[in-house]
Amino acid sequence: ATTVIHEFGHGYSLAVYKPSIDKSLDINETYSQGNEVLFATYLQNNYEEEFVQGVGLYNLHNLYRGLLKCSYAVDVENYLFENYDELSIDDLYEGVQDIYASYRASDVRETYWIYPTIASSGYYISYVTSCVSALELYNIALADFNKAKNIYMNLVNQKEMFGEVEAWTKAGFASPFKESTIIDISNFFIVKKH
């Protein structure tokens, strides 16, 4: 179900998309991840059944996991590109494992990320920034679902070309590149213990 909801976010944005506007991957992933958190919040707000609540929370868990994995991939990418000319294969694996250990995560396979990082450099940072925007949207949706939906629709329905930060802020999001945005999201989830 979550994949369908994610891909529907892309599909819907394409249905209202103006072909002359070139949207970044960061914005495109905010469409899909934003749709996921609106779906999760809708389930949490409208159904008491444990299974339905579980689907919504599972969706949110996957978003957090994606944020963690993609942040890890970005750190691996930075490590590889900063040290590419001086690394042996053994050094590469040791460095990647050190980065992995710093995350203290049990579900991030450390050496897996070497290949996609090299093959798709720059790809995962878009997932990190869109996850931040999606988590911000989730925070808003818990307090005011209609406000969150309006912010999401403002982003999807933009008919002009903007840079990423301007597109997010014109829609009603904070910039995911500001430390204060990350702190606000972190504080919300620490206090709420989601």
Side-chain angles (χ1 to χ4, degrees), residues 135-153:
L135 290 171
E136 177 191 8
L137 192 65
Y138 178 74
N139 293 352
I140 295 166
L142 285 178
D144 186 343
F145 185 82
N146 286 326
K147 178 179 179 182
K149 186 173 72 173
N150 288 336
I151 290 170
Y152 176 80
M153 295 306 293

Side-chain angles (χ1 to χ4, degrees), residues 46-57:
N46 293 288
Y47 295 93
E48 293 181 14
E49 293 86 357
E50 191 173 315
F51 171 76
V52 177
Q53 288 282 317
V55 170
L57 292 174

Side-chain angles (χ1 to χ4, degrees), residues 76-88:
V76 169
E77 181 177 297
N78 288 333
Y79 172 75
L80 292 175
F81 288 106
E82 289 170 2
N83 301 293
Y84 73 93
D85 58 343
E86 49 194 63
L87 287 176
S88 69

Side-chain angles (χ1 to χ4, degrees), residues 23-24 27 31 151 154-156 158 160-173:
K23 300 284 179 129
S24 71
I27 297 296
Y31 297 151
I151 290 170
N154 289 342
L155 184 68
V156 171
Q158 287 178 351
E160 297 177 47
M161 179 64 182
F162 303 115
E164 287 92 351
V165 173
E166 190 175 2
W168 279 309
T169 57
K170 281 188 177 290
F173 289 93

